[in-house]
Amino acid sequence: MSGSFSAGDLRRMLSRLRDVMAGVGAVQGRLDKVVALIAQDLRADVCSCYVMRAGEVLELFATFGLSQKAVHLTRLRVGEGLVGEIAAHARPLALADAWSHPQFVYRPETGEDFFRSLMGVPMIQAGRVIGVLVVQTKEERPFNDWEVETLETVAMVIAELMAATQVVKREELFQSEGNALLHVRLAGAALHPGVGIGVAVMHKPHVRIGRLVSDDPVAEQHRLHNALNALRKEVDDLIDGSHGDAEAYGDILEVYRMFADDRGWISRISEVISSGLTAEAAVQKVHDDTRVRIMQVNDPILRERLQDLDDLANRLLSILSGGGMRAELPDNAILVCRSIGPTELLDYDRRKLKGLVMEEGSPTMHAAVVAKALDIPVLAQVQGALARIDAFDLIVLDANAEQIILRPSEEIIELYTAAVDARTKQKAMYAAIRDLPAVTKDGIKVSLHINAGFLLDMQGLADSNADGIGLYRTEMPFLAMPTLPDVKAQYALYKQVVDGAKGKPVTFRTLDVGGDKIAASSVSGPEDNPAMGWRSIRLTLDRPALLRQQLRAMIKATEGETLRVMFPMIANVAEFDAARRIFNLEMERHIRNGGRAPKSVKVGTMLEVPSLLWQMDALVARADFISIGTNDLMQFMYAADRGNTRLANRYDTLSPAVLSMIRDVIVRCTAAKVEVSVCGEMAGKPLDALALLAVGCRNLSMSASAIGPVRSIIRSAALAEVEPFVQDLLKSDDSSLRERFRAFARDRGISGV
Ligand code: PEP
Ligand code: MG
């Protein structure tokens, strides 16, 4: 293989490959021809194709140059040897001297003794490694980047062709379920509670690319250009609200529009087309590359934003292949997918959608936000969902118990139908008390606010009839963006929030992002511990232009209204003072420029870093309000990563430590007449909310769907009974007070425990 291999040579090789794969005869025979052709064209001594089999094992499937006896005999586990290494990391390897690599394993049956250099690339299809393609030469020789790229393009074409011919059956990659008549339980993580019963609908199984190799790159560039125009139009239509209530998702869709115009993305696709692939194959290749790169970054938020990219790439592929996105649903549909983008979810008829099951997914993904707003139960991280569930399988999705039941028996269906009916009744009950105050039986009034982050949540404010927005997470819609939108775009968004709140107070929290997210990837490298890293107020104090622009937009959006601004992750009062100074500068600038002042201004802080607990006197002297963020405060108090599922139930919010700490903060704030609230997840759990009341809290902020249950528990309890019991429990040595408190509440007929 030599550097003189040109783009024209690559195009010719790809079209020969296509002809061989499209030919007749057994798949094995065609693969044998393919590897011979690659070896010949790349002037290598060996070309081998390893294919992923059941149990994460890579099997030598075809080879030119190694011993034929090794075919179907040589097997390597993922991670074993160089081939296993390539598959494990989905990364190419190019080694002039493969033998000196520590991962090299020698397999005598292959006759590898003669081959020195090795270049291998993963074969990726629909974002998964399905095999490894390797070339080797006798002499020791380095490979250059262009050669690696060439082999990657070839591998991608073979991977697609293999998937189309089903060389390895999908079922084979997963263990058999045993008796197919028995029901099967699969566990996952609930992203939105609830129960759904229905038939499985597989979400648009990967758009099958018909043509991979093109003879006319110019025509393909035209097709790409037209498809991008169509894509922009589709997104614009969604933004313009042609799909009914789409204006509620405006901010998410706006981000999409920016992606669709991203020059880097478009020019990469265009380059791949020039190397001989069709427009759709090029979109797929660029997307697969991006996917693999992002998966290697240890950043869950960035990974989450992959769904948005998947969504956009799928849309583009679908346009290029002339297919429509919208699938007809049966009346009770449980949508099953690896992951899904928010606009894809919106493409389905939501009245027929009874649940969403995903192999991937996490709480802050955009589709989960949409599903929450539509109140569809969601179970994510269900391992093997795609392999085990077939279209039309009957499924019970029990997000409350974090499981799905496949092929449920009659009894199970009856049981769950009753549960669904009960939930419908419960919802009706919450709706009935929607306009009643959150007041205990003995007359203690509690303010209930919602946590929001998307325009979509404004609907939740109206539906729940909460008192306002206690926490508006401004970073949410922008997490996937390379830079933060300008002041004008931010102003437009905040203005919609303020207008949508119809006079109810909104507390805007300034950006809470890590150093490796918005606008910062070029400034800081990846961090070992982003939760405790250069994030949030630390980042915005160091890059004050970001903070100033954000505050400018907020001030302008609240002219003549109430402005409530809150700073996240404040660790000492000096940080609060510094942030407030920046706020004051922006306020002066606004007035100097002839702007109208907000009707009233309140500047407050989150309390989520424990160090601040020892500066309470100084803090209450300067903050207008304090909001206790128990999610972060818990993780830092207990030194327990809030995203680590293994620790999820290890420490309880209903513990003497957490409740005593909150009680002390409330006592200090109340004495200083500083407004205090709790806005972490615990505020939205009915039993926890009741305990918060017992330690003095009168202001809670939670997701909109929690307002009904919390309102209901408050209305069913007498604080004069609950308070002494909880105060007494605080003296306990137990790590969790939950069960004792629950038993107490049950005994007193308190609802929803
Ligand atoms: C918290 O930490 O409790 C909080 C409300 O902020 P977030 O969940 O956005 O970190
Ligand atoms: Mg926080």
Side-chain angles (χ1 to χ4, degrees), residues 121-137:
V121 297
M123 302 197 310
I124 296 171
Q125 202 264 332
R128 288 171 200 275
V129 176
I130 64 156
V132 173
L133 188 65
V134 175
V135 295
Q136 291 172 275
T137 65

Side-chain angles (χ1 to χ4, degrees), residues 471 473 509 512 606 608 629-632 642 679-680:
L471 166 64
R473 295 180 166 107
R509 184 175 74 183
D512 184 2
M606 294 281 292
E608 48 189 348
T630 47
N631 305 339
D632 275 315
R642 67 191 258 191
C679 66

